[in-house]
């Protein structure tokens, strides 16, 4: 089937930047929307950014103007460029790829922003 492998998380000081990547392998045909979610300790998982196959983007209000989502349809990879990071961005970030009837989730990558 499809496996999603995330990379790019880590520890960064407030105001710094990180770039997350999520690459799909396996049966990658027909992937439509790609998205990033995050979940902080004690909080629910929510959508922070998404991008359709044709390039339509959506962002959570909390990350607008700071984060940029992009995708490479040839490489079956989605990216999240995170700038001006804040401590409240600290969370486990999960990528999700969607086909017509199925969602595929990455394993999660920890992003920690220190004060």
């Amino acid at each position: 089937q499809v496996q999603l492998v995330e990379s790019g998380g880590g520890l960064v000081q407030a105001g710094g930047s990180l770039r997350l990547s999520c690459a799909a392998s396996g049966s990658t045909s027909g992937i439509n929307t790609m998205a990033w979610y995050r979940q902080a300790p004690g909080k629910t998982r929510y959508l922070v950014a998404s991008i359709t196959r044709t390039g339509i983007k959506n962002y959570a209000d909390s990350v607008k103007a700071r984060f940029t989502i992009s995708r490479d349809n040839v490489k079956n990879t989605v990216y999240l460029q995170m700038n001006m990071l804040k401590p409240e961005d600290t969370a486990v970030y999960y990528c999700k790829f969607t086909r017509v009837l199925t969602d595929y989730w990455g394993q999660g990558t920890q992003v920690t922003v220190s004060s």
Side-chain angles (χ1 to χ4, degrees), residues 82-109:
M82 305 184 294
N83 299 323
M84 299 178 288
L85 283 162
K86 305 174 181 179
E88 51 263 43
D89 295 318
T90 295
V92 177
Y93 285 72
Y94 300 89
C95 58
K96 185 184 78 172
F97 289 13
T98 299
R99 287 205 272 216
V100 174
L101 297 176
T102 307
D103 294 333
Y104 302 93
W105 289 90
Q107 81 280 7
T109 185

Side-chain angles (χ1 to χ4, degrees), residues 34-36 49-51 57 59 67-71 78-80:
M34 300 179 178
W36 289 96
S50 66
I51 181 169
K57 301 175 182 180
Y59 297 96
F67 291 10
T68 302
I69 189 170
S70 61
R71 64 187 285 168
V78 64
Y79 306 93
L80 187 67

Side-chain angles (χ1 to χ4, degrees), residues 2-71:
V2 175
Q3 292 190 66
L4 307 183
V5 179
E6 302 182 32
S7 62
L11 175 65
V12 65
Q13 291 186 323
S17 298
L18 287 173
R19 186 180 187 236
L20 305 183
S21 299
C22 177
S25 62
S27 301
T28 58
S29 63
I31 293 173
N32 194 353
T33 301
M34 300 179 178
W36 289 96
Y37 290 71
R38 72 186 186 189
Q39 186 170 21
K43 297 184 178 180
T44 59
R45 186 181 301 185
Y46 71 94
L47 179 69
V48 298
S50 66
I51 181 169
T52 69
R53 192 169 65 88
T54 56
I56 300 172
K57 301 175 182 180
N58 284 291
Y59 297 96
D61 288 342
S62 59
V63 306
K64 285 181 179 177
R66 298 189 298 118
F67 291 10
T68 302
I69 189 170
S70 61
R71 64 187 285 168

